[in-house]
Amino acid sequence: MLQPAGFEMPDAHMEEAVENLDRRAYQLTAELVVFKEQLLRSVRSCEMFTMNYPLLIEHILREAKHFMNMLVMLVRRESANRPQDLLNQEFFWNRQMAEHAKFIAGLLDPSEEALIDTARMFGREFDELTVEAQQAARQTMDIADITADSREETERLRDFKAAGTEGILECKIQSIIVPLLGDHVLREANHYLCIMGMCHN
Ligand SMILES: [Fe+2]
């Protein structure tokens, strides 16, 4: 089959290039993990002060390690399509979603009472979903119900984050949330929905 010159790339080369990229990403993320661990230790022992919550540092550290696990699976060509893999993802991301909601609640201006209540409600809901996913992962139960609940709740949280980020950008919501953080947690909700089979991009 004829291919345009610019697109000609044997599969083996492509695989090698991707594998190299994965290995470099793994190396760099490993260094970032060491840095984040140091940072977390310093903050937790009150040797360092930052306006970031210690739980936020722990949260992004967990995400970095999760990314490294994904890279290992990619390099080993391991499939991540078993029901158990989806449950592990749900356990991981439900906890991340719970923490996002709690960060939002803690960074809104105290006068934004209704929004704080909603964010706290999301925090509690996702705490419950995290426990459910964890229990199901241990007992290898049927996961369809948990996935359906997680999807539904993540869609609601995604809409809340989207409206919140808009509100912050339009200066209609008072907070100390950096708009980029709002956008970041919104992207993670969309990423999680994509994992659960609801990709919109
Ligand atoms: Fe996150």
Side-chain angles (χ1 to χ4, degrees), residues 8 22 26 43 60 66 71 73 89 106 109 111 143 145 193:
E8 207 171 329
D22 291 344
Y26 182 92
V43 172
I60 59 175
H66 185 72
L71 289 169
M73 289 185 83
Q89 292 279 356
D109 188 80
S111 65
I143 63 162
D145 282 355
L193 283 170

Side-chain angles (χ1 to χ4, degrees), residues 134-142:
Q134 190 178 28
Q135 284 172 347
R138 284 201 194 120
Q139 297 160 6
T140 54
M141 286 157 41
D142 181 48

Side-chain angles (χ1 to χ4, degrees), residues 115-190:
L115 290 175
I116 292 172
D117 283 348
T118 308
R120 289 212 176 110
M121 181 274 293
F122 276 120
R124 285 192 296 273
E125 295 273 336
F126 275 101
D127 275 344
E128 280 173 29
L129 288 169
T130 304
V131 171
E132 282 176 32
Q134 190 178 28
Q135 284 172 347
R138 284 201 194 120
Q139 297 160 6
T140 54
M141 286 157 41
D142 181 48
I143 63 162
D145 282 355
I146 295 167
T147 304
D149 289 351
S150 298
R151 264 190 203 149
E152 212 173 289
E153 203 55 28
T154 307
E155 273 191 302
R156 275 196 218 118
L157 179 60
R158 189 262 321 271
D159 294 345
F160 177 69
K161 286 170 171 177
T165 306
E166 285 288 315
I168 290 165
L169 283 170
E170 290 166 5
C171 203
K172 289 178 182 156
I173 293 174
Q174 303 298 296
S175 79
I176 50 168
I177 298 171
V178 183
L180 198 57
L181 180 65
D183 180 63
H184 178 89
V185 295
L186 172 59
R187 267 182 287 135
E188 284 188 347
N190 278 323

Side-chain angles (χ1 to χ4, degrees), residues 56 59-60 63 93 96-97 100 103 161 184-185 188:
L56 178 66
H59 175 101
I60 59 175
E63 282 171 355
W93 283 109
Q96 300 306 99
M97 293 300 120
H100 286 174
F103 297 142
K161 286 170 171 177
H184 178 89
V185 295
E188 284 188 347

Side-chain angles (χ1 to χ4, degrees), residues 83-111:
Q84 189 65 24
D85 297 318
L86 182 59
L87 263 186
N88 287 337
Q89 292 279 356
E90 286 179 28
F91 169 56
F92 177 85
W93 283 109
N94 283 342
R95 176 159 61 161
Q96 300 306 99
M97 293 300 120
E99 289 180 354
H100 286 174
K102 293 172 192 177
F103 297 142
I104 293 168
L107 294 169
L108 283 162
D109 188 80
S111 65

